[in-house]
Amino acid sequence: QITLTQQAESLWVSPGEKVSITCRASQSLLYTDGKHYLSWYQQRPGQTTKALIYHASIRTDGVPTRFIGSGSGTEFTLSIEDVQPEDIALYYCLQTLKKPSFGGGTKLELK
Amino acid sequence: AVQLVESGGGLVQPGKSLKLSCSASGFTFSSYGMHWIRQAPGKGLDWVAYISSSSGTVYADAVKERFTISRDNAKNTLYLQLNSLKSEDTAIYYCARGYNWGDWFAYWGQGTLVTVSS
């Protein structure tokens, strides 16, 4: 069982700023194929949950370039540059190296 | 476009059963592994179960003796049979498209609410 910890339950940001959301895993998410099995998701009220990033740093189709995934081993970050009002949402990390588990979520709020 | 639509949720008494469905469209359903994930009111996401394209299954420890995931490729439908329901199973249940075991959850449905209460 792998535990993911998103330290910040909430982050406050103004439009145009940059924000970083961190996710820490209880063990390395690097597999023998050289890929990290860590993905990021956005949850907005009234919309389906959206996959943003997979394998730690690859954006899914149509995701704006202001969403940047980074990190390796056990430490991962989702950065959002030039935050837009529509980015106000809940963000979750997910590991799929073993039985899937999610981080606790980080709520992005407007200052 | 990929679309996943869950149904079958509702109010059920503790100890009873319920069967959820997830109707898929916009992709070749039979080629993809599928997941169920749940979210208790005001809480985070919790993975429940996975079924591969060849119908191999994996369950979260919390549900593996009570829930059964299945699929009908002819109907493009994913199922989750929930037995011996407990109050802690109250949640929105989402289906999501994976691919192989280990892949990210590329598409999600809007969810169906299951409330377990007497």
Side-chain angles (χ1 to χ4, degrees):
Chain A
Q1 181 80 336
I2 298 176
T3 302
L4 295 184
T5 302
Q6 292 179 241
Q7 204 72 33
E9 290 188 9
S10 296
L11 291 172
W12 286 263
V13 64
S14 297
E17 290 184 342
K18 176 182 176 179
V19 66
S20 293
I21 300 169
T22 61
C23 176
R24 177 175 296 157
S26 58
Q27 65 183 81
S28 175
L29 300 183
L30 177 64
Y31 189 53
T32 54
D33 60 4
K35 300 174 183 176
H36 288 88
Y37 283 73
L38 187 285
S39 48
W40 289 96
Y41 300 83
Q42 179 192 62
Q43 208 176 40
R44 295 167 63 189
Q47 299 202 2
T48 60
T49 301
K50 182 179 181 180
L52 300 173
I53 302 285
Y54 63 97
H55 292 321
S57 63
I58 303 173
R59 274 185 295 274
T60 62
D61 289 347
V63 171
T65 55
R66 64 179 182 272
F67 290 89
I68 300 167
S70 62
S72 63
T74 61
E75 300 277 342
F76 300 89
T77 301
L78 174 68
S79 298
I80 311 172
E81 297 184 339
D82 186 21
V83 168
Q84 300 298 303
E86 61 266 29
D87 301 335
I88 300 307
L90 267 163
Y91 291 87
Y92 291 91
C93 55
L94 165 70
Q95 70 78 22
T96 51
L97 182 66
K98 294 185 177 179
K99 282 188 180 181
S101 54
F102 291 89
T106 298
K107 187 175 185 180
L108 198 58
E109 300 186 86
L110 275 177
K111 280 183 187 173
Chain B
V2 172
Q3 193 168 16
L4 300 169
V5 180
E6 301 92 337
S7 61
L11 175 63
V12 60
Q13 293 178 328
K16 299 296 188 180
S17 300
L18 203 61
K19 189 170 187 176
L20 308 181
S21 300
C22 168
S23 178
S25 60
F27 65 101
T28 306
F29 178 72
S30 60
S31 297
Y32 288 83
M34 300 291 295
H35 296 267
W36 284 100
I37 303 105
R38 66 184 179 182
Q39 187 169 32
K43 302 295 184 182
L45 297 167
D46 189 28
W47 173 78
V48 173
Y50 168 79
I51 186 166
S52 69
S53 58
S54 56
S55 295
T57 58
V58 186
Y59 294 92
D61 291 347
V63 308
K64 64 182 176 182
E65 301 298 329
R66 300 184 297 122
F67 292 4
T68 303
I69 188 172
S70 61
R71 63 191 301 157
D72 185 334
N73 290 337
K75 295 183 177 179
N76 289 341
T77 303
L78 174 73
Y79 301 102
L80 187 68
Q81 176 70 44
L82 292 69
N83 295 332
S84 304
L85 281 162
K86 308 174 182 179
S87 57
E88 53 262 42
D89 297 318
T90 293
I92 299 172
Y93 285 73
Y94 302 97
C95 62
R97 193 192 86 175
Y99 187 55
N100 293 318
W101 176 251
D103 286 336
W104 65 102
F105 300 177
Y107 295 95
W108 297 57
Q110 85 290 344
T112 187
L113 176 62
V114 173
T115 303
V116 183
S117 175
S118 55

